[in-house]
Amino acid sequence: SSVTCLSKVNRPRRLRPGDPVTLELTLIGRGIGQRAYVQRALERAAEDGLGPDRVRLDLESVAPSPNPPARPPADRALTVRFVTPLRLKRDGHLVTPQMFAPGDLLMALLRRVSMLRAFHDAAPLALDFVALKELAATARWTRSALRWHETRRYSPRQEALLAMGGLVGEAVLAPAPLGPFRELLALAPWIGVG
C-alpha cells in the first residue's frame, strides 16, 4: 500500500545547545512571492529567541522543499498516518477515533483546498461539491488504529493553556475510485487538514 503522512513534524524531543532544528514551512499561492520577507521574519525570530525562555537560534540555511508526491494509485489501499493531532469537528462536536470516518478527512481536505483557492486565485474550484460529498461518504477504512492525543499550548493573548488534542495513529483507506480526493490526499502533508 502507498503511504500518505498527514504531517511532516517529528516527535517532540528535548534539545541541547548546538542541536540542529529543522523547520518546514509551506508557502502557497501569493505567499511564494513573499519568500524573502518570510525568510527575514524567521531570521528575526531566531535572533529574538523562541518560546517562553526566548531561546536564540542560528538560521543556517533556507532551501526549497521537493514537490508534493504524485496522485496515489486508485487500485491500492492507502495508509494514512496522522503524526500530529488532527482536530476536526462534525455537527459542532469534536470527531473522536470511534466516530472518525474517511468522509470527515476527505471533506476537510476539500474545504481546505477550496479556501486556499478562493484566497489565492480569482476562480473558484470547478467541482460538484454535492457529488464529492456523496463520493466521500462511500469511502471506508479497512483498518483503523487511531487514538486521541491531548496536547496543550500556551496562548499569550488569552494568558491560558489551550487544549490542542486530536487524532493520531493510522488508518487504511480501502481501494476505491476516489476521484480528485486521491490528489488531495497527496497534497495533505503540505496544506494541512484540521
Side-chain angles (χ1 to χ4, degrees):
S1 69
S2 54
V3 175
T4 298
C5 182
L6 295 184
S7 173
K8 298 185 66 131
V9 178
N10 295 322
R11 291 188 172 275
R13 62 188 173 110
R14 187 162 306 277
L15 297 171
R16 295 184 303 266
D19 283 352
V21 176
T22 300
L23 170 68
E24 293 186 18
L25 182 67
T26 302
L27 300 179
I28 297 173
R30 292 183 252 176
I32 295 168
Q34 305 299 314
R35 181 177 171 199
Y37 295 108
V38 172
Q39 182 173 339
R40 180 61 191 127
L42 291 172
E43 290 167 353
R44 181 84 188 267
E47 292 166 5
D48 292 347
L50 301 176
D53 297 330
R54 309 311 292 169
V55 176
R56 293 176 184 233
L57 303 172
D58 294 321
L59 184 62
E60 293 181 4
S61 67
V62 176
S65 295
N67 291 328
R71 177 183 185 167
D75 60 342
R76 294 189 195 155
L78 182 68
T79 300
V80 185
R81 192 170 294 130
F82 302 92
V83 180
T84 57
L86 172 65
R87 189 178 183 93
L88 294 177
K89 287 189 175 183
R90 185 191 322 143
D91 301 324
H93 301 284
L94 286 174
V95 175
T96 65
Q98 296 77 23
M99 62 192 284
F100 183 56
D104 296 317
L105 171 65
L106 300 175
M107 292 308 295
L109 279 167
L110 183 59
R111 282 189 300 275
R112 177 64 53 99
V113 168
S114 180
M115 286 187 287
L116 287 170
R117 178 76 182 256
F119 182 77
H120 292 285
D121 192 341
L125 285 175
L127 296 172
D128 182 346
F129 285 82
V130 173
L132 287 173
K133 185 174 184 178
E134 291 170 2
L135 178 61
T138 67
R140 297 288 173 251
W141 301 123
T142 59
R143 183 177 60 80
S144 177
L146 297 170
R147 62 184 170 80
W148 188 265
H149 178 75
E150 192 61 56
T151 61
R152 303 203 182 281
R153 74 169 182 86
Y154 181 75
S155 168
R157 185 177 62 81
Q158 296 179 29
E159 297 183 352
L161 282 174
L162 303 178
M164 295 297 294
L167 305 172
V168 295
E170 65 180 41
V172 179
L173 260 174
L178 293 175
F181 287 120
R182 291 246 169 207
E183 292 174 47
L184 298 182
L185 286 164
L187 291 173
W190 282 266
I191 63 172
V193 180

